[in-house]
Structures are given as structure tokens and as C-alpha cells.
Amino acid sequence: MTESRKLLKGETGDWEVVIGLEVHAQVSSKSKLFSGASAQYGAGPNENVSLVDAAMPGMLPVINRYCVEQAVKTGLGLNAKINQWSRFDRKNYFYPDLPQGYQISQYKDPIVGEGEVEVEVDGQEITVGIERLHLEQDAGKSIHDLSPKESYVDLNRSGVALMEIVSRPDMRSADEAAAYFTKLRTILRYLGTCDGNMEEGSMRADVNVSVRRPGEPYGTRTETKNINSIRYVKQAVEYEARRQIEVIERGGKIDQETRLFNVATGETRTMRSKEDAHDYRYFPDPDLLPLELDPAWVEEIRKGLPELPDAKKHRFMSDYGLSLYDAAVLSQERAKADYFETLAEGRDGKLASNWLTTELFGALNKAGKEIEQSPISAVQLGKLIDLIADKTISGRIAKDVFAIMFETGADPDKIVEERGLKQVTDTGAIEAAIDAIIAANPEQVAQVKEKPKTFGWFVGQVMKSTGGKANPQAVNELLKKKLGVE
Ligand code: ADP
Ligand code: MG
């Protein structure tokens, strides 16, 4: 059992957590799923509302071909079956922000069927099954807190295209759920089918959690709705698992219910008991024809797919000898992957990966910058690595040069030249420095055979007197010779 699959300890023994996610991802589309109104974020209240979105009598939906294409693309990116025939259903419920009185969704026959994704957790790979992906329209928004007496409805989101991606209950810890959500976001962003912008609500997860004794059948689950950050997914799972274990251990029973997450406390609370499919009185939408896809069109979309993160990850491992961990980090964003490939071109892949993930990502992180805003380009960082490889500078000096590059954006060779940072490999110059130090420190010279630490002190002195520029290997060898130590 891997680290991330660790069991949770209760008062009466071990428990296993079981998690499945339903993720709503907003399709990156200029217009809505069934109308021409803008789907752009940030407009004033009710500015992006067509007669269709407001459900005016007699208005008919027209399917947006671009949104269908994005759903197919996403399905292919999830290694899933594309259903040539699918259809739209009405999911009926009443709420002020749903003017039609029903949501157009897909129920029995979704556009995308079963698939799977690879997820990396703690340097290990797990596979999470995808049950389905379907297209549906978003509802509007009710605003209750502007006045004590009135509620407001904003229909800007009404009719915006969502892809609901339903996973199998294949995750076994909060970390696995968080890693899956992250991976899904990575795939969607590679494909360009959803911008993954969680603050703007482009990706929200309903988190299903149950607990069981290892080896037992699945327990009853709760569903915590509308979680819009990776950290909250983790918190919701942790809280729910603990709560359920306590309830069961006290002799209680878990109710299958829908719960709300409180971002301030990290707790979940009951919202309503879970509704069943029959509560929604699903039926095929008579205003829309079934969706039939031309296999040639699907093939064309498949051919146009970019290299996806998993393929990149595996290629980075085999071509550059990277570990799963580094390969996963570097393939997580396209910009990072592109940077790495430019850097690694014609160089040692592992060395390139080390400089990138520890030095550059570290510095960017500290400065609160994204890779796109890096003051050091891949070509420049590559030159720095070359300067170490051809022994122009030592690894130690390279870190200083890196810091100056990050600060000023200057080329490394220019910095090395201007500041006289070239490594001294000229043995004459090093020898002169050693002789001076030996002459000035007779006591240390006398001690060096008994106290091996003193040798290190000599190395330090020589490096100091040469401003850190002496080639450390040459210093070591010459010192050994002059001091007569092995
Ligand atoms: P519904 O459509 O009624 O919400 P589904 O069977 O489609 O129910 O499942 C919804 C989500 O709940 C899926 O992501 C699935 O993986 C997850 N799920 C199902 N059973 C469990 C369980 N026992 N524990 C945790 N998650 C579960
Ligand atoms: Mg559901």
C-alpha cells in the first residue's frame, strides 16, 4: 500500500476513504451553449442575457457547434469513448435563477463515455476512471445579501456551456482527490477547452465521500457541492472522512445527503437530503434533435490534438532520464514544458531539470512570478549551464551569476566577463595563492596531518583569497601535494 493510500485511524480500527468527483468545467467559448449571448466573465448584472437565456416564450435553443467540438476534444484528452449518438434531456426543478424551470443537460446518453486519467501522487502513479462527460447549461445566480428584504437574480451565467466530468470512486485520500482535480485542470488547459480559472468559477467540483472498513463494500456517500479550489477539495475530503468515521463509530448512520462547504471553517454542513434522478423528471428535450457526430469530424479533431501532459511526461522520462516526479512537474503546464525542452536541447536533461525546478522555479516562486514572466529566458539559462560544463565558472559562482541574471535579465557570459568571475584553472595563480597561505600559517601546516579538518580550512582560505574563482579540483590536488597529505 503506497503512502497516499494510507488508512485513517479511528477509535475502533482502520478506515478507508472513498472519493469520486463530479467536476463542472466551463467551456472556453465566446458564446453560450444554446444562444449567441456572450459567455464572457465580468460583465455587469444581466448584460449577457439573450431572450433564449431568459426563457422568453417561444424562444428555441440552437446548439453551439464550437462547444460540441470542445467536449469531443476533452473526451479524447481523457482517453474516453466518444459517443457518436447522444442527446439532450430536461432536468426539471424550480429555482428563481433557472427561468426555464429546467436545465438542459444530458442524462442517459452523454456525448462522452468511459475513459481514464493518470494521476501522480507522492511520486507514484494511480489511474482514475472517468465514468462520463456530458454537456449542460449553467444556471443564473441568486444574490441574497445586497438588501435585507430583496433578492436579485443575475442571468449572465444562464445558458453558459459546462462540461460535467464524472469520475469513478477511485480515489482513496484527500491528496489523491486534490491531485486528480489538478491533473484534470492541466489536461483541460493543454487542450484549451476550459481556462481552469477557479476564482472565476470556471472549474467547480462536487466532492463525493464515503468511508468503509478495508475490504468491505462501499459505504453511503455524501456529496459536498460547488468547491472551487484545490485546497478546499482537500479540506472537504478530510473533514467529511473524519465526520463520517465519528458518526459510525458512535453507532450512527450516514445519510446520503448533499452538503455545503464553509470556506471560513473548512467544515461541511447539511444542505438537503439527496434527490434521486426521478425527482428531476428527466425527459428528452423536444426542442433539440439528437446529436449525431460524423466519425470523420471526430477523427479530424483527434488528429489536431496537441501532445498531452501524460505523453509529454513519459517522453521526458524516456528521452531525458527524468524521474516521474520531475517529469510530472515539468509537464504540468505547457509553458514550463516548452521552457524545459528549449533548455534541455543538446544538454544533459537531468542537469537542465535540476536548474529549472530548484533554481528558477524557486526564484520565480519567491518573486510571485509565472514562468511566462521569467527574467531569465531558456536560452540564457542554457548558456549558464554551458559555462559550468566547459568549466568557465564553478557551480558555486554559477549560483551568484544566476542571482544577477534574475535581477537584471543580463546574459551570463556578459556578467562573468564584466565582473571577472571566470574560474581560475591556471595552476600558477592557484599555486601562488597556496604558497602565500602556507607561509602565513605555520601552525595550521604543522597540524594538518593529525587534524583532517584543517585541510578543509586550507581549501576555504584558498577559495577566499581567489574570490571563489579557483577551480576546486585543482585547489584540492595542489594543496594535497604541497601539504604532503593523501
Ligand atoms: P448521482 O448521479 O446520483 O450523483 P453517480 O452514481 O453518478 O450518482 O455518482 C456520482 C459521483 O459519486 C461519481 O463521481 C462517483 O464516483 C461517486 N460515488 C459513487 N458512489 C460513491 C461512494 N460510495 N463513495 C464515494 N463516491 C461515490
Ligand atoms: Mg450527480
Side-chain angles (χ1 to χ4, degrees):
M1 194 142 292
T2 67
E3 193 69 9
S4 64
R5 300 224 143 192
K6 241 191 217 159
L7 301 174
L8 289 179
K9 290 236 171 302
E11 301 261 317
T12 59
D14 289 344
W15 294 91
E16 185 175 45
V17 192
V18 174
I19 307 141
L21 259 53
E22 294 160 277
V23 172
H24 291 89
Q26 181 176 334
V27 178
S28 293
S29 161
K30 289 207 177 78
S31 49
K32 295 183 179 180
L33 184 55
F34 298 114
S35 84
S38 166
Q40 240 66 323
Y41 178 83
N46 294 306
E47 281 180 6
N48 294 345
V49 186
S50 76
L51 297 173
V52 176
D53 311 320
M56 288 297 155
M59 299 310 296
L60 291 173
V62 177
I63 185 84
N64 179 335
R65 182 185 164 103
Y66 183 80
C67 292
V68 174
E69 184 180 338
Q70 304 317 301
V72 171
K73 229 187 216 180
T74 306
L76 293 170
L78 300 173
N79 305 302
K81 179 171 181 289
I82 307 301
N83 292 324
Q84 211 175 316
W85 193 93
S86 69
R87 84 179 167 197
F88 289 98
D89 298 280
R90 290 186 179 179
K91 179 179 181 178
N92 299 278
Y93 66 93
F94 294 95
Y95 208 73
D97 60 23
L98 189 75
Q100 289 167 142
Y102 57 86
Q103 176 194 30
I104 306 179
S105 181
Q106 294 190 299
Y107 178 51
K108 284 257 161 65
D109 300 288
I111 184 165
V112 175
E114 292 186 337
E116 59 179 39
V117 293
E118 283 175 16
V119 178
E120 304 78 30
V121 196
D122 298 331
Q124 308 254 6
E125 236 166 38
I126 61 163
T127 303
V128 175
I130 301 292
E131 200 173 294
R132 58 189 274 153
L133 174 157
H134 65 253
L135 275 168
E136 62 183 30
Q137 45 174 197
D138 205 351
K141 195 164 93 184
S142 300
I143 302 156
H144 304 293
D145 49 5
L146 288 180
S147 124
K149 288 208 190 110
E150 291 152 338
S151 280
Y152 296 81
V153 174
D154 180 357
L155 293 181
N156 280 349
R157 293 196 70 93
S158 168
V160 164
L162 302 177
M163 299 179 279
E164 179 169 336
I165 303 165
V166 183
S167 86
R168 297 228 170 265
D170 286 348
M171 290 150 274
R172 296 290 178 270
S173 71
D175 282 343
E176 290 188 3
Y180 165 75
F181 194 43
T182 307
K183 188 58 179 277
L184 213 51
R185 180 168 184 269
T186 296
I187 295 172
L188 294 169
R189 283 167 56 88
Y190 259 75
L191 292 164
T193 56
C194 167
D195 64 22
N197 194 331
M198 300 201 201
E199 296 93 75
E200 294 178 3
S202 291
M203 258 183 100
R204 286 119 66 192
D206 297 343
V207 179
N208 296 271
V209 177
S210 65
V211 296
R212 64 173 173 182
R213 297 291 189 186
E216 294 282 304
Y218 288 147
T220 303
R221 78 189 140 108
T222 62
E223 177 177 351
T224 303
K225 282 279 190 200
N226 253 326
I227 299 192
N228 70 343
S229 94
I230 293 162
R231 187 160 59 96
Y232 296 156
V233 166
K234 220 162 140 169
Q235 286 179 354
V237 172
E238 275 161 5
Y239 181 85
E240 248 328 88
R242 276 288 152 212
R243 185 189 71 81
Q244 292 183 15
I245 290 169
E246 262 173 47
V247 168
I248 300 170
E249 291 195 329
R250 271 193 270 112
K253 217 167 92 318
I254 301 300
D255 295 321
Q256 182 161 344
E257 60 181 4
T258 303
R259 298 178 69 87
L260 278 179
F261 181 69
N262 182 334
V263 296
T265 61
E267 295 173 353
T268 69
R269 65 182 162 83
T270 302
M271 177 160 102
R272 55 174 188 251
S273 71
K274 167 98 179 136
E275 48 293 282
D276 285 316
H278 60 77
D279 294 323
Y280 289 118
R281 298 166 354 272
Y282 279 102
F283 65 90
D285 192 315
D287 290 341
L288 288 156
L289 287 168
L291 200 54
E292 283 190 71
L293 306 180
D294 177 357
W297 185 57
V298 174
E299 221 20 65
E300 212 178 286
I301 297 173
R302 188 196 299 278
K303 284 204 192 103
L305 290 182
E307 183 183 35
L308 290 169
D310 282 338
K312 257 201 211 313
K313 181 182 74 187
H314 292 299
R315 192 164 57 76
F316 285 1
M317 289 166 76
S318 61
D319 287 8
Y320 300 104
L322 300 191
S323 66
L324 174 69
Y325 182 84
D326 285 343
V329 167
L330 290 173
S331 57
Q332 201 174 64
E333 282 169 43
R334 231 155 131 169
K336 285 182 179 168
D338 291 348
Y339 192 109
F340 170 69
E341 292 218 73
T342 308
L343 185 63
E345 173 83 48
R347 299 193 177 89
D348 180 67
K350 275 189 191 159
L351 196 62
S353 153
N354 280 344
W355 271 92
L356 188 51
T357 54
T358 56
E359 301 302 326
L360 187 64
F361 289 175
L364 288 171
N365 214 351
K366 238 197 211 152
K369 286 188 169 149
E370 298 295 323
I371 185 89
E372 290 90 341
Q373 305 154 324
S374 170
I376 305 179
S377 73
V379 172
Q380 288 176 312
L381 188 55
K383 280 190 201 160
L384 180 67
I385 294 177
D386 294 343
L387 290 177
I388 310 166
D390 68 15
K391 299 205 163 62
T392 306
I393 55 173
S394 65
R396 165 72 204 76
I397 290 287
K399 301 223 164 149
D400 296 343
V401 176
F402 176 87
I404 299 166
M405 290 167 75
F406 197 83
E407 199 51 47
T408 63
D411 272 345
D413 21 20
K414 202 166 145 239
I415 296 169
V416 168
E417 199 56 53
E418 279 178 5
R419 306 198 182 208
L421 295 173
K422 269 201 186 132
Q423 179 161 252
V424 179
T425 36
D426 165 18
T427 46
I430 298 174
E431 250 178 295
I434 291 177
D435 290 343
I437 289 161
I438 287 180
N441 298 283
E443 274 170 48
Q444 274 81 355
V445 175
Q447 282 178 355
V448 74
K449 289 218 174 99
E450 288 83 62
K451 282 206 208 156
K453 258 196 198 153
T454 313
F455 185 78
W457 179 85
F458 272 105
V459 175
Q461 291 302 303
V462 179
M463 292 312 278
K464 207 164 131 193
S465 87
T466 56
K469 290 178 293 183
N471 178 321
Q473 210 183 332
V475 172
N476 261 288
E477 280 166 17
L478 286 167
L479 258 179
K480 273 187 193 158
K481 212 159 74 193
K482 298 216 175 233
L483 290 170
V485 295
E486 279 309 300

